[in-house]
Amino acid sequence: MVGEDYTSIRHRQPSSTGHGTPEKNEMQKRSEAEKPFQNSSNGWVDVDHGITKKMQLIAEAEELKPAFMKEVDSHFTEFVNRLIAKSVLLESSTATSTFPVATCSERDLHKTKGLRAPPEHGKLFTARRSILDELFEVNHIRTIYHMFIALLILFILSTLVVDFIDEGRLVLEFDLLVFAFGKFPVVISTWLCMFLSTFILPYGLFLQWAQGHCCSSHRKIRSLFFGMLFMLFQSIGLGLGPTYVAVSYALPPASRFVIILEQVRLIMKAYSFIRENVPRVLSSAKEKSSTVPVPQVTQYLYFLFAPTLIYRDNYPRNPMIRWGYVATKFAQVIGSLFYAYYIFVRLCIPPFRNISQEPFNLRGLVLCIFNSILPGVLILFLVFFAFLHCWLNAFAEMLRFADRMFYKDWWNSTSYANYYRTWNVVVHDWLYYYAYRDFLWFFGKKFKAAAMLSVFAVSAAVHEYVLGVCFGYFYPVLFCLFMCFGMVFNFILNDRRKGPIWNVIMWTSLFLGQGVIICLYSQEWYAHQYCPLKNPTFLDYVKPRSWDCHIQI
């Protein structure tokens, strides 16, 4: 039996070798791949050959990685786009679950098309993390954060050493911070008045209007009356009131920033609440519904604290609060304040303290601008990190607000159009849906350029208003940069510009603009300190005082 088996195997061998050439080639390839780990003629393992083969495999993998990642990115982007499209369709078809008070079917949306832009095209809130929280999980990116901390340590050490040499002791008074945030009890009381009035009056006016709108025989007159009351509250109660307090009490700059920025935020929130809910009441009255779609007071209160300017009855929520995360973010805000303090003490105050005593000429202006680029860029990074990342994420965590897309990857922008969309998503969404989209809805889609220009004008005017009130003088540098260079760059550096060179151009112009802002506003600040006017006329308030301050010294 053994002989027969051996004979049968021997007879089968030629057939297997004759028809098994691919298998033989595969075996030869495997033997060649394992060859680096076999003994050489002298009995030693050929380590060099093995390392060479491994390096070749790594090189081949690196060559395949870009194509693989590009393919994965394209498929992932397509998948996300389809998912968002399906979510939007689901949102519009199941409006009763998202807005439990206001019932609105797809047929109702077509009927209310003349009242407002379709609600299914509004902002869609989803649960997502902030980009920096994801990037800081990468060690390479977190090293950049460590570099900024090291720079802060060097600022602190240099300040302590210089003060010790000049004064003979360690000076830890933080007099600039104490001055900037002075008269803080006035700030707290003013904020409480602003918040309580915004909480009570807009909601009360809307409630009274909504409850009597369906039964009123003079709906247009009634709506006009309540609309005028709301506009009076926006312009006088929230508009002139806080500004009068800031000017009459002569509040320092940082305290004024707190009041004015909260003033702008509450005005935008109150408008969003009215803008989102009035069309629902009009649609309900048109359908002669028995229920009045009025949001609950707790929903409006949550919206006033939520880190968004777009009102919704409900937002995606996280299941729990990470108090350690909240403490970390607030600690980073405080650290950013001290960082800004040392930047002003070391890089801004020494060169600008005596600059108004020098003649105003082109050479001095150019040197001032380029010397101000470094502090300007650092202040830009600190404002972004402290407010848009740390402050908003801290409040979002305490409120379990799940949509953390307060900004996008603006640092990768190759166009100013993309930079404006991604730098501050919270404000951009408000301007896009309530200024740009409503402008096109009212005048028509052929006026896109006019709509964009109006949005730029509103944004530039509000920014200049904030700086003018907070600094105490009118010097429209930021307004000119917005309306002149900002508009030009928005059309020249548009979304069709791709490639690294356009990102370099965007960063270069951004750095230069920060230098212009820091230089000119600092010059004007010290000119107002050194050259006060006894009987100023209207032209004295309009004309920059830094242009001729050296004559009066």
Side-chain angles (χ1 to χ4, degrees), residues 445-508:
K445 293 185 178 180
K446 59 182 179 180
F447 293 98
K448 288 186 177 181
M452 185 180 300
L453 181 62
S454 65
V455 171
F456 266 92
V458 170
S459 180
V462 172
H463 280 80
E464 191 57 45
Y465 161 75
V466 171
L467 293 182
V469 174
C470 295
F471 289 147
Y473 54 79
F474 176 75
Y475 198 18
V477 176
L478 188 62
F479 183 84
C480 294
L481 290 178
F482 247 103
M483 292 305 297
C484 298
F485 296 98
M487 283 293 295
V488 171
F489 287 148
N490 183 70
F491 287 104
I492 296 177
L493 300 180
N494 49 42
D495 292 331
R496 293 192 298 271
R497 307 299 184 184
K498 303 295 182 181
I501 185 61
W502 298 106
N503 184 251
V504 173
I505 294 175
M506 193 275 296
W507 274 109
T508 303

Side-chain angles (χ1 to χ4, degrees), residues 65 69 93 138 150 189 191 274 338 385-386 424 442 498 547:
K65 185 166 65 174
M69 294 301 296
S93 61
V138 181
S189 58
W191 180 85
I274 298 299
F338 282 97
F385 180 75
N424 189 343
F442 188 80
K498 303 295 182 181
W547 291 2

Side-chain angles (χ1 to χ4, degrees), residues 290-332:
S290 58
T291 60
V292 180
V294 177
Q296 299 178 2
V297 65
T298 55
Q299 294 173 327
Y300 179 58
L301 180 62
Y302 180 88
F303 168 64
L304 290 180
F305 284 102
T308 179
L309 298 175
I310 306 295
Y311 176 80
R312 293 290 184 270
D313 285 344
N314 299 289
Y315 299 95
R317 306 283 291 274
N318 288 331
M320 59 180 295
I321 302 176
R322 299 171 296 172
W323 291 108
Y325 180 87
V326 175
T328 301
K329 294 306 172 187
F330 280 127
Q332 289 174 339

Side-chain angles (χ1 to χ4, degrees), residues 331-347:
Q332 289 174 339
V333 171
I334 296 175
S336 298
L337 288 177
F338 282 97
Y339 209 138
Y341 165 79
Y342 283 109
I343 289 174
F344 279 106
V345 168
R346 300 304 303 161
L347 300 179

Side-chain angles (χ1 to χ4, degrees), residues 12 69 163 167 171 173 226 254 292 318 348 419 434 437 443 459 478 548 551:
R12 284 199 299 267
M69 294 301 296
D163 290 341
E167 303 289 337
V171 180
E173 297 176 353
F226 278 95
V292 180
N318 288 331
C348 293
Y419 168 74
Y434 301 144
R437 287 269 298 272
F443 291 99
S459 180
L478 188 62
D548 56 358
I551 299 176

Side-chain angles (χ1 to χ4, degrees), residues 160-218:
L160 294 179
V161 170
V162 170
D163 290 341
F164 183 78
I165 293 175
D166 294 340
E167 303 289 337
R169 61 186 179 88
L170 293 178
V171 180
L172 297 175
E173 297 176 353
F174 302 106
D175 51 347
L176 181 61
L177 283 178
V178 175
F179 161 73
F181 288 94
K183 301 181 180 180
F184 212 70
V186 179
V187 176
I188 297 298
S189 58
T190 305
W191 180 85
L192 284 176
C193 293
M194 287 192 300
F195 178 80
L196 291 177
S197 60
T198 308
F199 174 62
I200 296 173
L201 291 180
Y203 186 83
L205 290 175
F206 174 75
L207 182 63
Q208 292 295 324
W209 171 80
Q211 289 179 347
H213 179 74
C214 60
C215 303
S216 176
S217 57
H218 304 283

